[in-house]
Amino acid sequence: MEIGRRLLLGLALGLTLTPPLAAALDPFGFFAGIASAVYERLKSRLKECCTEDWIPLDVTGLKANLRKNLFGQHIAIDVIPKAIEGFLSNSEPEKSLTLSIHGWTGTGKNFVSKIIAESLYKEGMDSKYVHLFVASLHFPNAQHTSQYKQQLQQWIHGNVSACERSMFIFDEMDKMHPDVIDSIKPFLDYYSHLNRVSYRKAIFIFLSNAGGVKINEVVLNYWKRGMKREDIRWNDLQDHLALEVYNNKNTGFWHASLIDMNLIDYFIPFLPLEHRHVVLCAKAAMQSRHFKDVEQVAIKVAEEMMYFPKDEKIFSIRGCKQVATKVDYWTTADKET
């Protein structure tokens, strides 16, 4: 009877129990095992752990969030979910996933990295398994390059050792010293293990303004020929983008071994945003703060932005950057009137 009660207790807790005979022979060890298992389960639910509960890897949610919240970037909306879904569906990938996202300021590069983090990790950008590096903040001095390389490699090694599903986001890659960029190379390569650690299930995301001018030229040429931006395909830009950032001495990617050795899996262009996209950004900013009658204010915000070419004023120079600040101004002004 006593053994039966113990068995039912273990089953109710969802635990794997020792055989009834072992429980009868060693009751103290049996209950100690239950207590330890219960503690570990409670801890994993209350404190972030490297488990499916905390890293759901929700690609379906990612697709929906991109379609709903990312404006004017049809290539990114198509390519990014497919790239991540294909990577996650492989239980034994040959290398870590590396996405390099390029475009002018304000086009949504940082925003999309946030959406990815929120879809794959329960805690989003606050997850201890998501690591953000900003070149001007974390690697500001060229004379400290050797120190940065060592510290960065130790950081990546330590965090992937703790959780193989770690994600690393590098912002302002165009401002990063090429030697610091190349120090990441071993973690992106096709090694099964480095110092007894496998990096093959980690994700690396690079954000850069490099290549933005080339992207803008392509989009502007499409517009001049009377073609829709939605007709621009990923293949129309990917190779041009890779060559542009590799051969441009003004970017940290200049002759970087990451490109030379084909270790970047996807070059993803972010297109310059048009007036209509800025209106959508303003509406989203207002709706997130529960403002009503957003249409007129959103148009006012969009009209205040600067556009190029100078005569036609088609594409926003700053994308949707500063939209939130202008929304604050106009909503306050409307209240005062």
Side-chain angles (χ1 to χ4, degrees):
M1 183 66 71
E2 179 62 23
I3 293 174
R5 284 198 294 268
R6 293 176 187 172
L7 181 60
L8 289 173
L9 172 63
L11 291 173
L13 292 172
L15 306 173
T16 301
L17 303 180
T18 56
L21 181 58
L25 294 174
D26 184 15
F28 295 106
F30 174 77
F31 282 111
I34 290 180
S36 176
V38 170
Y39 170 76
E40 290 299 324
R41 171 162 291 204
L42 289 175
K43 185 174 73 170
S44 68
R45 291 184 176 180
L46 299 175
K47 185 178 180 181
E48 187 181 17
C49 297
C50 187
T51 63
E52 291 183 3
D53 289 338
W54 294 96
I55 309 179
L57 305 176
D58 182 10
V59 179
T60 301
L62 172 61
K63 294 177 183 177
N65 286 335
L66 289 176
R67 285 195 297 267
K68 179 181 178 182
N69 300 307
L70 185 63
F71 306 123
Q73 304 300 348
H74 67 281
I75 294 176
I77 291 172
D78 178 53
V79 173
I80 290 176
K82 290 179 181 177
I84 293 177
E85 185 173 25
F87 174 70
L88 296 177
S89 65
N90 187 350
S91 59
E92 296 293 335
E94 294 185 349
K95 65 181 293 296
S96 56
L97 176 65
T98 309
L99 310 177
S100 193
I101 300 174
H102 300 260
W104 263 18
T105 182
T107 52
K109 301 185 300 295
N110 289 92
F111 183 56
V112 82
S113 66
K114 179 175 179 287
I115 292 177
I116 294 172
E118 290 176 346
S119 301
L120 304 187
Y121 300 83
K122 186 176 180 180
E123 296 295 300
M125 293 297 295
D126 293 328
S127 171
K128 64 182 180 182
Y129 306 120
V130 175
H131 313 279
L132 173 64
F133 299 92
V134 181
S136 59
L137 175 64
H138 295 102
F139 317 110
N141 300 314
Q143 61 266 33
H144 296 153
T145 296
S146 296
Q147 180 181 348
Y148 296 150
K149 289 168 57 179
Q150 181 180 5
Q151 291 176 341
L152 181 57
Q153 289 183 334
Q154 289 175 347
W155 181 261
I156 294 174
H157 171 81
N159 283 284
V160 176
S161 299
C163 183
E164 62 182 1
R165 286 296 187 190
S166 294
M167 185 166 77
F168 301 89
I169 303 169
F170 293 85
D171 192 13
E172 300 179 346
M173 286 288 286
D174 48 305
K175 298 178 181 178
M176 196 179 299
H177 194 283
D179 288 345
V180 178
I181 293 177
D182 280 344
S183 72
I184 308 171
K185 173 191 169 297
F187 311 112
L188 311 183
D189 217 327
Y190 290 82
Y191 302 116
S192 59
H193 291 83
L194 287 173
N195 295 329
R196 300 181 181 180
V197 176
S198 173
Y199 299 88
R200 292 182 168 187
K201 292 187 178 181
I203 297 176
F204 292 82
I205 299 176
F206 302 146
L207 310 177
S208 176
N209 291 344
V213 174
K214 173 60 70 175
I215 295 169
N216 292 352
E217 287 177 0
V218 172
V219 178
L220 186 57
N221 286 335
Y222 265 74
W223 176 79
K224 287 180 178 179
R225 287 184 286 168
M227 302 176 69
K228 297 179 181 179
R229 66 188 284 124
E230 289 77 15
D231 293 332
I232 302 175
R233 299 173 300 170
W234 180 42
N235 290 335
D236 295 333
L237 279 168
Q238 182 179 214
D239 292 340
H240 293 298
L241 182 56
L243 287 172
E244 172 70 17
V245 299
Y246 181 73
N247 292 318
N248 190 335
K249 290 185 177 181
N250 296 320
T251 76
F253 279 117
W254 181 66
H255 285 194
S257 63
L258 303 188
I259 300 177
D260 193 31
M261 300 184 71
N262 298 309
L263 297 180
I264 296 178
D265 301 302
Y266 300 88
F267 285 91
I268 303 172
F270 269 50
L271 313 184
L273 300 181
E274 300 175 12
H275 179 279
R276 58 191 169 113
H277 303 127
V278 179
V279 171
L280 292 174
C281 289
K283 286 182 178 180
M286 296 180 68
Q287 289 168 351
S288 68
R289 303 175 210 181
H290 307 292
F291 287 115
K292 298 180 180 179
D293 303 323
V294 300
E295 188 71 31
Q296 290 185 347
V297 173
I299 293 174
K300 289 178 182 178
V301 168
E303 288 175 348
E304 285 196 350
M305 304 295 283
M306 298 176 64
Y307 296 86
F308 74 95
K310 186 176 181 180
D311 295 332
E312 292 87 353
K313 296 182 178 180
I314 302 300
F315 304 108
S316 173
I317 291 177
R318 295 187 178 90
C320 281
K321 211 161 194 175
Q322 300 182 341
V323 162
T325 302
K326 293 183 180 296
V327 164
D328 289 339
Y329 171 81
W330 278 110
T331 52
T332 302
D334 284 354
K335 288 179 182 178
E336 292 177 352
T337 56

